[in-house]
C-alpha cells in the first residue's frame, strides 16, 4: 500500500515538474513571486511548488487594427484606419523580462501602444493642412516609427510596420475636394485644348507661309524663264529679219516689205486668235505709213546700237 502511495506521489511530482513550451513561445519562471529564469520551446523541468510559470509569452509577430481621428492645422477632421504589426524585440532575458513585467496584462500593453501611436499621428497631422495629408502616408509612418521605437524597446517590443490603409475626411470636405479636382481637370483640359489649337494654327500659318514662299519663288522663276524666252524670241526674230533684209537687198527689193509682211501677219493673228475682244487699229494709208516709219526707226536704232557696241 505504501509502495502504491509512493508511486502516485512520484508520478504527481514528475507531472508537476514537467513543463512543455510550445514553439514560438517562451515561459517566464518565478520563485516566490520573483523572476527566476526563462524556458525555451520544448520539454523543460521545474521544481514543483517552488517554481511557478508566471506567464507564457509569444515571440511571434502580432497585428492589430486601429481606427482613430485627428485634426489638421486648418481644423479639418481626418479619419484613419491602420494596421499595426509588432513583435517581441528578441529572446534575450532582459527583453523577455520587460515584456513580462512592464504591464499587468496584455490588454494594458495594447491600450498604451495604441494610444501612443494615435498621439504620435495626431501631433504630426496637427502641423499639416488637409490638402497635404493624402500625400503624406509614408512620412506619417516614418514619423511614428521614429517617435515610438525607443519607447517600445523599453517595453521589450519592436514596431515592424504600420500600414495606413484608409484616410477619409468629413463628407463636406470630400465634396469640396472633388469640386477642386474637377475644376483643376477642367482647367488642364482647357489649357491642353488651347495648346492644341495654338499648335494647329501655328502649323497652318507655317504651311501657308511656306506655300506663299514657294509660289513666289515659282512665279519668279517662271517670270525669269518667260523673260529669257522673250529675249531669245526677239533675238531670233532680229536674226530672221536681218537674213530677210539681206535677201531683199540681193533681189534689189525694198526692205520695208518685210515690215509690211509683219504688219499683215499681225492683223491675221488678231483675227484668228481673237476671243471677242475689240481691238482698234488704224488701217488707213497714213496710219500704216506712220507705223512703218516707227518700225523702221526702231530697226535703225537697234542697228546703230549694235554698230556702236562693235566699235
Amino acid at each position: 500500500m505504501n509502495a502504491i502511495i509512493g508511486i502516485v506521489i512520484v508520478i504527481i511530482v514528475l507531472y508537476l515538474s514537467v513543463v512543455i513550451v510550445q514553439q514560438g513561445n517562451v515561459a517566464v519562471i518565478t520563485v516566490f513571486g520573483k523572476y527566476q529564469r526563462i524556458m525555451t520551446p520544448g520539454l523543460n523541468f521545474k521544481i514543483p511548488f517552488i517554481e511557478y510559470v508566471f506567464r507564457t509569452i509569444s515571440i511571434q509577430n502580432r497585428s492589430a487594427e486601429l481606427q482613430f481621428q485627428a485634426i489638421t492645422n486648418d481644423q479639418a477632421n481626418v479619419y484613419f484606419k491602420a494596421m499595426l504589426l509588432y513583435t517581441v524585440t528578441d529572446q534575450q532575458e532582459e527583453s523577455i523580462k520587460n515584456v513580462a513585467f512592464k504591464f499587468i496584462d496584455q490588454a494594458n500593453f495594447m491600450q498604451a501602444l495604441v494610444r501612443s501611436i494615435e498621439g504620435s499621428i495626431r501631433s504630426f497631422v496637427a502641423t499639416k493642412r488637409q490638402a497635404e495629408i493624402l500625400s503624406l502616408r509614408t512620412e506619417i509612418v516614418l514619423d511614428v516609427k521614429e517617435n515610438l521605437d525607443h519607447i517600445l524597446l523599453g517595453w521589450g517590443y519592436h514596431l515592424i510596420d504600420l500600414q495606413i490603409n484608409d484616410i477619409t475626411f468629413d463628407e463636406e470636405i470630400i465634396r469640396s475636394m472633388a469640386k477642386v479636382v474637377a475644376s483643376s481637370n477642367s482647367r488642364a483640359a482647357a489649357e491642353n485644348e488651347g495648346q492644341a489649337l495654338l499648335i494647329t494654327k501655328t502649323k497652318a500659318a507655317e504651311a501657308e507661309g511656306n506655300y506663299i514662299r514657294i509660289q513666289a519663288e515659282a512665279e519668279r522663276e517662271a517670270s525669269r524663264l518667260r523673260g529669257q524666252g522673250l529675249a531669245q524670241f526677239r533675238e531670233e526674230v532680229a536674226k530672221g529679219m536681218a537674213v530677210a533684209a539681206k535677201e531683199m537687198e540681193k533681189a534689189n527689193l525694198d526692205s520695208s516689205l518685210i515690215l509690211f509682211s509683219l504688219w499683215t501677219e499681225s492683223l491675221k493673228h488678231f483675227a484668228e486668235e481673237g476671243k471677242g475682244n475689240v481691238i482698234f487699229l488704224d488701217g488707213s494709208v497714213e496710219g500704216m505709213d506712220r507705223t512703218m516709219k516707227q518700225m523702221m526707226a526702231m530697226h535703225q536704232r537697234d542697228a546703230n546700237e549694235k554698230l556702236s557696241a562693235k566699235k
Side-chain angles (χ1 to χ4, degrees):
M1 185 65 179
N2 292 332
I4 295 175
I5 293 174
I7 293 173
V8 171
I9 291 174
V10 170
I11 292 174
I12 293 174
V13 169
L14 289 175
Y15 175 77
L16 295 176
S17 300
V18 173
V19 177
I20 298 176
V21 180
Q22 297 295 327
Q23 185 68 38
N25 294 272
V26 175
V28 178
I29 303 299
T30 59
V31 175
F32 303 120
K34 183 180 179 180
Y35 172 78
Q36 178 66 23
R37 59 192 175 94
I38 60 174
M39 291 182 177
T40 56
L43 180 63
N44 296 270
F45 295 93
K46 65 181 180 65
I47 302 174
F49 308 110
I50 297 177
E51 292 185 329
Y52 172 71
V53 178
F54 175 76
R55 181 177 296 173
T56 300
I57 298 173
S58 174
I59 57 176
Q60 296 172 314
N61 294 342
R62 311 180 199 182
S63 63
E65 292 286 343
L66 307 180
Q67 294 186 22
F68 54 91
Q69 173 190 356
I71 300 177
T72 63
N73 187 38
D74 49 358
Q75 303 301 308
N77 290 322
V78 187
Y79 302 93
F80 292 91
K81 289 184 179 180
M83 191 278 292
L84 174 66
L85 185 64
Y86 65 99
T87 186
V88 175
T89 303
D90 51 46
Q91 298 184 41
Q92 298 297 321
E93 185 176 12
E94 192 63 31
S95 299
I96 298 301
K97 287 172 64 176
N98 288 333
V99 173
F101 299 109
K102 285 289 184 179
F103 293 92
I104 190 171
D105 54 26
Q106 187 65 21
N108 282 271
F109 164 73
M110 282 303 302
Q111 183 179 17
L113 177 60
V114 170
R115 293 295 180 265
S116 298
I117 293 175
E118 290 180 2
S120 180
I121 292 179
R122 283 171 177 160
S123 62
F124 181 85
V125 171
T127 63
K128 306 298 179 181
R129 300 179 64 84
Q130 64 170 357
E132 302 175 289
I133 295 302
L134 292 177
S135 61
L136 295 177
R137 291 175 185 257
T138 303
E139 287 77 2
I140 293 174
V141 172
L142 293 176
D143 184 76
V144 171
K145 284 186 175 182
E146 182 179 355
N147 292 334
L148 291 184
D149 268 347
H150 67 283
I151 298 176
L152 290 177
L153 185 61
W155 297 346
Y157 288 94
H158 169 61
L159 181 61
I160 298 176
D161 192 19
L162 176 65
Q163 297 180 6
I164 299 178
N165 301 319
D166 193 15
I167 300 176
T168 58
F169 300 88
D170 289 332
E171 185 176 352
E172 184 64 28
I173 295 177
I174 293 175
R175 283 198 299 267
S176 64
M177 292 174 67
K179 291 180 181 179
V180 170
V181 172
S183 62
S184 177
N185 291 339
S186 298
R187 182 173 65 254
E191 290 176 355
N192 291 336
E193 185 176 354
Q195 289 293 332
L197 183 60
L198 176 61
I199 292 172
T200 301
K201 293 292 186 181
T202 302
K203 293 299 181 182
E206 290 177 356
E208 182 68 19
N210 290 334
Y211 170 74
I212 294 173
R213 179 176 56 80
I214 293 172
Q215 188 179 32
E217 291 177 354
E219 184 65 26
R220 183 170 61 252
E221 182 66 16
S223 298
R224 185 180 65 82
L225 293 176
R226 282 196 297 269
Q228 290 179 353
L230 183 59
Q232 291 176 358
F233 170 74
R234 288 175 177 175
E235 183 179 356
E236 293 300 324
V237 169
K239 290 180 180 179
M241 291 182 66
V243 172
K246 290 180 180 180
E247 293 295 329
M248 294 291 288
E249 289 177 0
K250 290 179 181 180
N252 295 321
L253 295 175
D254 191 352
S255 61
S256 61
L257 291 174
I258 298 174
L259 299 176
F260 179 75
S261 176
L262 291 173
W263 172 262
T264 55
E265 287 294 330
S266 297
L267 294 177
K268 180 182 177 182
H269 182 74
F270 293 158
E272 289 178 349
E273 301 297 331
K275 303 296 182 180
N277 298 324
V278 178
I279 301 175
F280 293 96
L281 297 172
D282 188 356
S284 65
V285 177
E286 292 79 5
M288 183 184 69
D289 183 60
R290 184 171 57 254
T291 302
M292 293 292 291
K293 289 179 178 179
Q294 291 175 351
M295 295 177 67
M296 291 176 67
M298 292 176 60
H299 176 69
Q300 187 62 37
R301 188 190 64 182
D302 291 342
N304 293 335
E305 289 178 352
K306 290 181 180 179
L307 184 60
S308 299
K310 290 180 179 179
K311 291 180 178 181

